[in-house]
Amino acid sequence: MTLTLTTPHTTTTAASTPALAPREQEALRHIAAGHTYLQTARHMGLSKHTVDAYLRRIRAKLNVNTTAEMTRIAIALGL
């Protein structure tokens, strides 16, 4: 197993954040509120696999690795 160290992300602003699709924003809002993938999926009328796919795309777009980082960005974006 290898461990990759990264530097902390700088403050993210709406101007520097890649555009998220409305459903990605909704999924991010639910996860940032502390809901599980299954709770998010049920509320959005999706499968948990679709929610997982949304969150993988969000992580790639925002270049983050953890739910905590996603939550921080969601708060910064006012979601």
Side-chain angles (χ1 to χ4, degrees):
M1 175 167 44
T2 61
L3 197 58
T4 304
L5 298 176
T6 59
T7 57
H9 298 285
T10 58
T11 304
T12 302
T13 61
S16 66
T17 303
L20 297 177
R23 293 294 269 184
E24 291 172 341
Q25 289 179 17
E26 185 178 356
L28 179 57
R29 189 171 32 253
H30 284 286
I31 295 302
H35 299 141
T36 65
Y37 283 29
L38 185 57
Q39 290 169 330
T40 300
R42 286 181 178 159
H43 188 270
M44 293 177 69
L46 304 169
S47 76
K48 67 180 180 176
H49 300 289
T50 303
V51 170
D52 181 53
Y54 282 156
L55 296 175
R56 277 185 276 128
R57 283 193 303 227
I58 292 167
R59 283 186 183 98
K61 286 181 180 182
L62 300 178
N63 193 30
V64 297
N65 297 314
T66 67
T67 302
E69 290 174 307
M70 283 195 311
T71 301
R72 181 186 56 80
I73 291 172
I75 291 168
L77 294 175
L79 297 177

